[in-house]
Amino acid sequence: MSSRQSSSRSKAPKGEYIETDSGNKVSRKANISGTANITLGGRTVIMADVNLRGDLHRLPSSTDEPSAKPSSTSTHAISIGKHTVISPRCILHPPHRVHRGATQYYPLKIGDNVFVGPGCVVSAAAIASHVYVGEGSVLMPFCMIRENVRILPGSVVPPNMVVPPGSVVGGRPARVLGEVGEGWGVNVAGAGGAEMWVEGGDLRELVRSVK
Amino acid sequence: MSVSFPYTYYACSCADNTSTQEKRVSQEPQSAQDEDERTFDPRSRRSNFSLYPIEHLLYCTECHEMRCPRCVTEEVICWYCPNCLFEAPSSTIKQEGHRCSRNCFNCPICTSPLSVNSLEQPDPPPDDKPANKFGGPYILHCPYCAWSTLDIGITFPRPSNITGQLAKTLNGGLPRPPRDRKPSSSLKRSDPPTTHHLDDLPSPTSDTSTSSSPEPPSARTPDPQDRYHHLLAFYKHQLSTSDAALLPGTTSTSASELGPGSPSSIARLLHMYGSSIRSRAPESGPSPMREAATPEEGLLIYDAAAEAADDATIRAMQTTAWDTHASVSQRLDATNRHARAVDDLRPISPLLRTKRAKRCGACRQILAKPEGKVTSVRSKIKLLALQNLPKLSIKPLASPSTMPPPGTSAAGRPTSTLLTTFSSPTLALPALSPSSPFALRPLTTTHYLLTLTNPLYDSIRVHLAAPSALRGRHGAGSRVTILCPQFEVGANTDRRKKGERERVEKVRREEAFWTVLGVGRIVGL
Amino acid sequence: MSETKRVSISAPQGTPSEGRRTSTTAASRQSLAAKRQSLNFPKAPTVIDPSAIVSTHAILTGLHPITIGPDVVLHPYCKISSVEGPVTIGRGCIVAERAVVGFTTETAAQGDSALKERDVTLNRNVVVGTSAVVEAKVVDEGCLVGAGCHLKGGSNVGKYCKIAPMVIVQPDEWIYDFMVVYGQNARRRDMTMITNKDTVFALKKEEHEQHLAVLKRLIPSNLTKWQ
C-alpha cells in the first residue's frame, strides 16, 4: 500500500493539494526535502508549510562493513502510515544520536490515524497509531509515543521518553497526566448526525474533507 | 478530556446518593428541600467531581445507568513501568515501593527520563550491547535539563544494573557504608536475591546476639533508609528468636496474639512490606515482643545532633542561593522526603502504572476489561456510554463575520476549526485566546449549534432547558436562549454497513440553537 | 557585488567590533523605510566561508552584511535576516530549518522600538533548533537553542547554555554562562559542565563535530547562489 512519495502524481490543475495514486494529499506549499526517503502510507494529508526532512537519512557508516547488512543502511528517513494528518507548519525532523562512536540519523515513523496539530516539531523515534498531538507541541528526539495517546497542546515531550499506551501527557517537560477514557477514538454512528471524526479515531473522513 | 472551548460534560448522578449526602440531608431537612428543587448547577464546586466527558463514561447494561470513574470499582490487571513497558511481577511490587527496578530513572530536577551515557566515549546505549567495548565510567544524564549524576558525584562503573549500583552509593560518590554486619547464628533466613541490601542488615545489638565487640558507629547520622533497615532487621531478629507461631495465616484468639506487639501482627506487617520470612514451627504460646530500644534497632528519638542538623539546614537556606534548594515539586517527587538541597536529590525510579478492569459499583458487572498484555490496547469487554447515551456536541455556528474564510467547504465542523485558525504566530499559545473566533465576547450574541447523536435503535424525545439567567463568577448576566426546546431524534439506522453513510446523513437531523448573549462577562471557559 | 565589497571592508567574523556596530546602526536607521518594504527576500550582502554548508533553500536576506564562518551548516528553509542589523554566524554553528536568525521586518515592527543595536552574533558551535527565533545580541560559544525558542532582541546568552524548546527569553535578559533554561522559564546552572569541564567538553565537542560531518554529507551546499 505504501507508495513512494516521488511516484507519479496525478496533476490536479488547481487545488491546493496534489493527490497521489494512493490517495495521499500533499499541499503544494509543503517543503519536502529528500522525497526518495519518505513513504506515505496512503490517504495521508501533508498540509501547507510542513517541512519533511527526508534528506536527513541514515548514512552508510565507514565502520560498518557494507556487505554484511545492507538492510540496516537503507536510507529511509520518514515513514507515515494511513489516514494521518500533518497540519500546517509542522516540522518532521528525523532524530540523530551518537551510536557506537558514530553520529547517525534514525528514521522517524508515524503510524495510522495520527493527527499532528499545527506548528508541531516532531523528532520522535516513533509515533504509534491513533495518536493526537495537540497544537504547538514539540516531540524531542527519540521519544516514543505509543497507541491511543493524547498530547496536550504546547507540550514538550523530552528526549527518549516513552509515553505508555492510552495516556494523556502534557507540560514542559511532558509527563503523564492521566488516561484517555475507554471511549477514546470511538465514533458511534447514529441518527442525528455525528461528527465525521473524533480525536484518536479513524481519520478517514477528515482526510476526505481536505480539499 | 475535551478541552476545546465549547465542550460537553455529562453529570453522573452517583454523587446524589452517597451516604454523606444522606447524612447531611437528615441533619438539614430544610436545605435538602432546596437541594431537591434546585436543578443541577454545573458551576458548584461539588459538580467538579461528577462531570465527565462522555469518552470517560461507561454504561452498565444491567442497571441501565451510566457509570463514571467515581461509581465503578477497579481491579488491577497488571502493573507495568511506563518507561520500559515491562510488566512488574506482582510479588515484588510492594518490595520495590511500586517503582520500576529495571534501569529506568527519571530526572529529579525535571522528571524527564534519564539516559545512560559513557564518559569515555560518546553514548554507547547500554540496552544494545551490555558488554560493549566502550568502557569508562557511566553516568545518568538528563537530555532535557542537562542534569546528571555527576552533579551529585555519582558515576557507575558498569552500564547495567544501575539500580543496584545506585543503592550502594551515596550522594557524593562515597559507597554507602555497609551496615554493621554482625554474624548472628540465630538468624537463619534466606536472603532474597532481589533485595541485595538486606544481606547487609545488622543484627540488633541486644543481648541475644552472639556478636563480637561493637564496631565504632559511623560519623554519619543514619538516614531514614538506614533506620528502616535497622528496624526491619530488629523485628526479623525478634521474630526468628521468638517461639511464637509466625505463620501469617495462623488463627489464634488469645488477646496477646492480636495486640500490636504480638509476633503474628509484626509478621503480618513485615509480610505486607514484602520481605519473606521463614518461620519456625509453633512450639508454645507466643510471648510478647519488645520494642526497639536503640538507634541501631531503628529507634528514632529526639536528638541534639538532629536539631543541630536542622539548624544547619536553616542556615543553609538563609545563606545559599535559591537554585541550590529543591523545589516543592522536586521534594514531593523525590524518594528521599528529607531532601532539601538539590544535592540531596537522587535519580527517581518511575512509579509503576496499572491496567485496570472496571466493574459497576452497584451490580459488579464488568464494564471494561483490557487485555492483559501491557502493550496491547484492545479490550475484551467495553461497555461505553457512547454507545448507549445520546451524544451531545456543541459547536459555534459559523457565521461569515466570525469565521476566517475557510479553505474547506466544511465550515462549522471541527474539521474546519482545525484547518482554518492557523494564522496565529508560531509562539502563541494554542489555548483559547481572545482572538479565537469561538471565544465569547461581551455584549455580543453568539450562536451555537447543539447536535444530538442517537446511537440507540429507538427514537428519543429531547427536552432542553436552560436557566433564565446564568449565575456564578463567569456567567453573571449572560442569558441562554434555546430556540428549539423540544424535538425528537430518530432511531439509529446505521447497521454499520459500508455505503450506508449517505442514508445516515439523510436521517432526520434535529438541531437546537443556543443563543448566548454575553453581558459584560465571558461565559464559561 | 559592490555590497559584498563593503562587507569585506568591515570587521571579519568572530571579532566583535564596537565601531562596526555603531556605524551599521546609523545605516539601519537611514534605510529603515526601504527595508520594511523588502518582503521579497532580497539577497543579502554576504561573506561566506567556503567550508560552510548553505542549503539551496536557506534564505539570506536583508541589506546589512551577513557573515558566515567556516563549517557552518544552514539547513534548508532556515532564514538569516539582516534586515535590521548585521548578522554574524561563527564557526561550526548549525541553524535548523525554519529557524530565524536576526530581526525580520515583522519581528522588528512588533519589538521594542527603543532597541538601538539590532545586530545578532552567534559565536562558535551554536546549534539553533527548528523554528527558533534568535534576535539575541550575542549567543555565545556552544549554546544549544531548542526548537521553537524565541530569544528576543537585546538578550545575551552566555557560553554553553542550553535553552530548552519553546522557551521565550525576554528582551535585554542576560543568560549567564552554563545556564539551562527549561520548563516554564525555570533556570539552573549546569553543574555537570562546570564541575567536569574536561571530560564533558571533550564529549560535547566530539559529538558536535560528528554531527557537522554527517550534515556535510547529507545537505548539499549551494554557495554559488550567494556569491
Side-chain angles (χ1 to χ4, degrees), chain C residues 62-168:
Chain C
L63 294 178
H64 289 274
I66 292 175
T67 316
I68 291 179
D71 301 324
V72 166
V73 175
L74 300 186
H75 278 263
Y77 305 104
C78 76
K79 187 174 175 184
I80 314 293
S81 165
S82 64
V83 172
E84 299 284 321
V87 174
T88 310
I89 296 180
R91 173 191 284 270
C93 287
I94 301 172
V95 181
E97 64 270 24
R98 285 245 293 285
V100 180
V101 178
F103 289 84
T104 55
T105 26
E106 304 91 60
T107 52
Q110 290 168 8
D112 187 3
S113 58
L115 192 68
K116 293 216 170 69
E117 293 172 349
R118 296 194 161 185
D119 54 332
V120 173
T121 305
L122 305 187
N123 283 344
R124 282 170 66 106
N125 295 347
V126 172
V127 179
V128 179
T130 50
S131 67
V133 179
V134 178
E135 295 164 351
K137 196 163 160 46
V138 177
V139 180
D140 217 331
E141 186 179 338
C143 280
L144 195 64
V145 180
C149 284
H150 192 174
L151 310 184
K152 291 193 174 174
S155 52
N156 282 268
V157 182
K159 283 179 187 158
Y160 296 97
C161 287
K162 182 173 181 183
I163 318 285
M166 308 299 282
V167 164
I168 296 175

Side-chain angles (χ1 to χ4, degrees), chain B residues 179-180 202-205 222-235 290-301:
Chain B
R179 302 182 182 92
D180 332 318
S203 71
T205 55
D223 63 15
Q225 207 185 350
D226 288 338
R227 280 202 295 270
Y228 170 72
H229 287 302
H230 289 169
L231 199 60
L232 186 69
F234 170 72
Y235 280 131
R290 69 181 184 85
E291 283 299 322
T294 63
E296 284 76 30
E297 291 172 351
L299 179 68
L300 175 65
I301 48 170

Side-chain angles (χ1 to χ4, degrees), chain B residues 26 31 90 112 192 200 205 228 307 338 354 383 397 412 436 486 504:
Chain B
S26 61
S31 70
S90 55
S112 24
D200 293 338
T205 55
Y228 170 72
E307 198 190 330
H338 295 258
T354 52
L383 300 172
L397 194 63
S436 159
Q486 283 183 32
V504 179

Side-chain angles (χ1 to χ4, degrees), chain B residues 109-110 118-123 139 141-151 323 330 342 425-427, chain C residues 131 133 148-150 162 164-166 168 180 182-183 187-192 195-196 199-200 203 206-207:
Chain B
I109 302 290
C110 70
S118 165
L119 281 181
E120 282 296 303
Q121 297 234 7
D123 190 20
I139 54 168
H141 179 256
C142 174
Y144 181 76
C145 75
W147 184 87
S148 78
T149 48
L150 284 174
D151 289 20
D323 57 0
Q330 284 165 1
V342 170
T426 322
L427 296 166
Chain C
S131 67
V133 179
C149 284
H150 192 174
K162 182 173 181 183
M166 308 299 282
I168 296 175
V180 182
Y182 66 101
R187 307 200 174 187
R188 54 181 293 270
R189 298 186 74 204
D190 188 351
M191 296 309 289
T192 306
T195 53
N196 301 275
T199 44
V200 181
L203 282 171
E206 167 76 20
E207 196 182 327

Side-chain angles (χ1 to χ4, degrees), chain C residues 1-6 226-227:
Chain C
M1 268 301 152
S2 61
E3 283 172 338
T4 338
K5 204 178 272 175
R6 196 188 75 195
W226 307 103
Q227 275 157 6

Side-chain angles (χ1 to χ4, degrees), chain A residues 31-33 49-51 53 55-57 59-60 89-91 93 96 98 101-103 105 121 136 138 140 156 172, chain C residues 75-77 96-98 130-131 147-148 162 165-167 182-184 206-207 210-211 213-215 217-220:
Chain A
N31 304 322
I32 298 171
S33 337
D49 297 325
V50 169
N51 278 50
R53 294 302 305 272
D55 52 340
L56 303 179
H57 58 82
L59 279 170
R89 295 185 286 105
C90 283
I91 298 171
H93 187 113
H96 74 91
V98 183
T103 301
Y105 275 88
V121 178
V138 176
M140 289 179 77
V156 175
R172 298 177 188 175
Chain C
H75 278 263
Y77 305 104
E97 64 270 24
R98 285 245 293 285
T130 50
S131 67
K162 182 173 181 183
M166 308 299 282
V167 164
Y182 66 101
Q184 305 286 355
E206 167 76 20
E207 196 182 327
Q210 283 196 5
H211 189 196
V214 168
L215 287 178
R217 291 172 69 187
L218 286 173
I219 298 177

